[in-house]
Amino acid sequence: MRSAQLNVYRHDRGTRALITLAGEIDLATAPLLCSALTTCVHDGIRTVDVDLTAVTFCDVSGLNAFLALSRLATDAGATLKLHYPPLTLARIIEIVGACFLLHELHATTQNARPGNPGRASV
């Protein structure tokens, strides 16, 4: 069994950070995600935008991490928003009532991102 891999890239601009994730988010990689986003909040970042364009898989561990990190950010007076989640993740976020995680009201399968039918256009 191969282990999942997640690459995390951070680009800061003032008090805003863009976190670009590439790979799989699961039980093995969620701690890396948590560490990166927690560091943003502790560094005084007020807005954390997470680009999920290159995420190929996200299980409940990833969703739980995003929910916990959103609460951490909110408690610190910051915001965390997800951009371009895989459609399956966007749908699960919608079902569990966590649309506040998404940058804007996310699109469902009818409004998939142009050029990439497997992504929600948020």
Side-chain angles (χ1 to χ4, degrees):
M1 182 168 142
R2 74 172 184 66
S3 65
Q5 182 176 355
L6 180 67
N7 294 312
V8 180
Y9 306 96
R10 176 177 166 180
H11 178 75
D12 293 357
R13 177 177 253 173
T15 60
R16 184 175 204 122
L18 172 63
I19 303 294
T20 303
L21 303 175
E24 299 178 4
I25 306 170
D26 62 11
L27 188 60
T29 60
L32 177 62
L33 167 66
C34 289
S35 176
L37 296 178
T38 299
T39 299
C40 285
V41 172
H42 291 300
D43 287 349
I45 297 296
R46 309 312 297 160
T47 303
V48 181
D49 294 304
V50 182
D51 181 353
L52 300 172
T53 303
V55 170
T56 56
F57 176 81
C58 183
D59 70 6
V60 71
S61 301
L63 177 58
N64 284 335
F66 287 127
L67 290 168
L69 292 162
S70 176
R71 177 172 294 231
L72 173 74
T74 299
D75 290 349
T79 60
L80 177 131
K81 296 295 178 183
L82 306 181
H83 300 259
Y84 306 115
L87 284 175
T88 53
L89 177 59
R91 182 69 180 128
I92 291 168
I93 288 170
E94 180 182 31
I95 289 169
V96 301
C99 290
F100 59 87
L101 287 173
L102 300 173
H103 178 261
E104 295 173 3
L105 291 177
H106 82 282
T108 57
T109 52
Q110 301 107 346
N111 299 344
R113 188 169 136 203
N116 194 350
R119 300 280 160 186
S121 57
V122 292

